[in-house]
Amino acid sequence: MSRAMQCQGCLPWGSWTPLCRSLPGSRGTRSVYLCAASGPGELGSVLVGLGCVRYQGGSQERSVQPSSSHHGLSQLRNVGSSDAIKKHQKSLSAWFSHQPNEERQFGPSFSLDAVHVDPVIRESSLEEILKPSPDLTIQNQLQQPCSQVISLQNLFDVDACGRQVKNVVLYGTVGTGKSTLIKKMVVDWCHGLLPRFELVIPFSCEDLSHSHAPTSLRRLITKKYQHLRDVVPMLGTSNLKVLFILNGLERLNLDFRLASTELCCDPNEPVPPSAIVVNLLRKYLLPEASIIVTTRPSAVRRIPGKYVGRYAEICGFSDTNLQKLYFQMRLSQPGCSGENLVGSTSGEQENLVEMLSRNLERHNQIAAACFLPSYCWLVCTTLHFLYFTRTVPPSQTLTGIYTSFLRLNFSGEVLDSTDPTNISMMKYVAKTVGKLAYEGVMSRKTCFSEDDLQQCFEVEMKTESELNLLEVFRSDVFRFFLTPCVQPGKEHTFVFTIPAMQEYLAALYVVLGEKKTLAQRMGKELSEVIGKVSEDVAVVLSIISKVLPLRFLPVLLNLLKIFPRYFSRLSGKDRDTIAHTMAEELFKEEDYYNDDVLDQINSSILGVEGPMRHPDEAPDDEVFELFPIFMGGILSRRNRAILEQLGCSIKNLAAFEIAKAMKKTVIRNSRKGLPPSELMDYLFFLHEFQNERFTAEAIRSLRTVNLSSVRMTPLKCSVLASVMGTTCHEVEELNLTSCNLDTSSLRILFPVLLRCKALHLQLNSLGPDACKEIRDLLLHDKCVVSNLRLANNPVGEQGAQYLAEALAGNHSLTHLSLLHTALGDRGTEVIAQHLAENQHLQELNLGYNSLTDTAALQVVEVAKKHATLDKVHLYFNDISEDGKRALHSLRMDRDGVRALVFLTAGTDVSDYWSNILNVVQKNLPFWDRERVRQHLALILQDLESSRRQTANPWRKAKFLRVESEVKKMLGKLQHGTL
């Protein structure tokens, strides 16, 4: 197998391609550990049910691991230190099993010691690290056999020459899972699953780098782990098998030269912490101890090769089987959905895993991204956000997920600890990769050539320090964000590992103010210099003016202050530019009829079901609708706080000024009529922005909300409820037609629905359970719904019972449409019985409900006595000729109600004929076409009969016009074109 890492100093400056062509690919032996345990009990007792299933090359082997943590402590019994070790294990287990907040969403049963997938670890060598990688594409890499795979438990086995390995360097780029692997290693030792060592002592090199005061090794250990006070004196004087873990060696500046770091073999001698680490690795201090060091590739050479017994590279999940297993464990955990596990939720989790697995098999780009376990985490977290968010307001934002993802992987690390600028890794990424991302968004480009990379990374390199930083970035970070494209014909171009990451970094680049012209940059630097100098000069001149009363001095003082003030005004214009960019990208008309951004993200992860695109087919235009949404999300207080930890500071004043400028641009543009998908994007933008005052002002201008045909998932419902909840104004109309709503959706949207005058819920498969929610809605004392449309929903008889109860007690409803809701005679009779108790309804649509004469006439009899009901729709029902004649005889002036049954009214055309035909035409895709054809044929016969009965030529012309419309509809229906 070709090498997966390389020292960037050996790369020619003109070539970027080998960086990502060396991604690890493995089809050989793999190891996956699924440790099923409810958690350790009292330390030192027997762990019941703690077993290990080993997944190896498609087969399973079952091996029983040591079940007692007493194993390996036999040599300590003589020194009476087993109790101290047990306390140490308990302390370490509690500390290393702790999960960050971002992990708790996967359910209470998810923990590091319960489920874990080991990444592939490959044995390497210093020579292999230093030599250039072969010119291989990702496709070739995927097919490369991996013959040097080594498990975590075997890292300290004898080497090829039979020598016992004491020092191991475990390296990998950002995101390969170094820290997680070390955490798992420590937890395994605490549970008795690493019997090779009797004592494990982990150190964080970041922690050690902040301490410069001399201290002894023993003092350092007891300072970090006070439980080991009784054990530390035995170090170096017994055969205690000790393992030191040094995590993140790149944080320490080590110097192995004797002139800089003297030899020290005494654990009690105070020396700087870096000297302790150097002497441990030299094997001059505690030579019998084993040491494992984790580091990024750029820092591997800081340890001379003669002090390293084995180099091992973490290759991540280089097999899609490992990726699938990871996704299955993450997304199938009990409690992952945040609710009590029921059949539907469990089925949804299984469906997610299945769709994701199929996409991994057919879409190499996401499989290439998921080489890095970190991106597997991002995929799972995004899916969890999309499918299992049901709280109002949602507990997370998409921008927050991406910001937290970067914090988990970079956590404020500096790019190069040896560089005097101490620039944070994330700040460097924002300045360089962010620039590439932004230029790609502006030119609607996702694939980048080597020339594009050179323009963004190398063109402004002027100093030795900048070149060194670039070298470290190429070695450690580049592949975290960019990977070779796997699309045929584009193998020599690069794409962002996850498409949305390009838009996030582009947004970060803009919001941080990195998008400046040369004049703006020079002006800022000059302003800072003049500002500092003017303060000193002003003090001197003020003193001179008191001694020498020169009139020109005050003028000179004011001149010195002019430039900084002028530049501050230019900075204010930068805020306007950011707000203008945000508004321009958010309301691009060419993106108006795309899917909403949440569906786009879902499709990018799970794929699109259906035939795959032919390689020769022209691709769709690239869409970057997440870019302005991420810009708004980054400005939220929580995300700014996290970015501050990463070295990317966005001041409160800057965020305030941008928000102020947005009121003139974003809110003004939002008042234009937006298509449903674009309106959903705008609502999601307001949610991501997390500015309640701004959102309230924006929402007050929305009197009509049309989201028809938007797939309203629980997340979108939560976003809509949260955003609309910032105000309490009444909504004139809320259109949720064909939005895949269900009972839980109505429950989430309940506070919003109360405030809507016109509520469109057609075509949503709302059954009896949903009707129960609607009943509660209509009976609420704050309900203002006056027009409710429930057409084409399976309401049924039971649903009719709930709606009848709602009609009896409601005081706001004036128009109710129950067209094609499977009421039948019994459902209609229930509604008729309760209709008399209602005093406000004016129009009732019961068309296409299989009503017979009895039910239709019963409704009409009730309507005659009703105070306000004057119109009942009864067309497309099973009414006999006698029933038709009885309904024909109704007169508005005499009976107080009009029944809309036909297109005719005696020997004249009904005033409502066009309304009836429009209803038929709109609903044909959802109705039984054969039944509609029969009804239209009967209507045509009735029209012809009525035309023959009238002698009025004007009426005959009207009949002929209506007949023509019906015949056209029948013809299209028969040919399948309607």
Side-chain angles (χ1 to χ4, degrees), residues 31-93:
S31 296
V32 178
Y33 295 94
L34 305 184
C35 300
S38 59
E42 186 176 338
L43 269 295
S45 61
V46 177
L47 297 179
V48 180
L50 188 58
C52 185
V53 178
R54 182 183 176 109
Y55 174 84
Q56 186 171 6
S59 64
Q60 288 188 349
E61 300 175 5
R62 195 167 193 86
S63 60
V64 179
Q65 297 289 344
S67 60
S68 173
S69 60
H70 281 298
H71 183 81
L73 299 178
S74 58
Q75 296 187 25
L76 292 173
R77 291 174 184 156
N78 296 331
V79 296
S81 299
S82 59
D83 289 340
I85 296 294
K86 292 175 186 177
K87 290 180 181 179
H88 181 58
Q89 287 177 323
K90 185 176 181 180
S91 175
L92 284 182
S93 178

Side-chain angles (χ1 to χ4, degrees), residues 330-350:
R330 284 276 180 167
L331 296 173
S332 301
Q333 284 295 302
C336 173
S337 63
E339 299 179 343
N340 293 331
L341 190 63
V342 293
S344 60
T345 304
S346 177
E348 187 172 22
Q349 290 173 311
E350 293 173 1

Side-chain angles (χ1 to χ4, degrees), residues 772-791:
K772 190 175 181 181
E773 293 294 325
I774 295 173
R775 177 199 64 183
D776 296 341
L777 172 74
L778 294 175
L779 293 177
H780 198 282
D781 57 354
K782 294 184 179 180
C783 177
V784 300
V785 177
S786 60
N787 187 343
L788 175 60
R789 298 186 181 182
L790 288 169

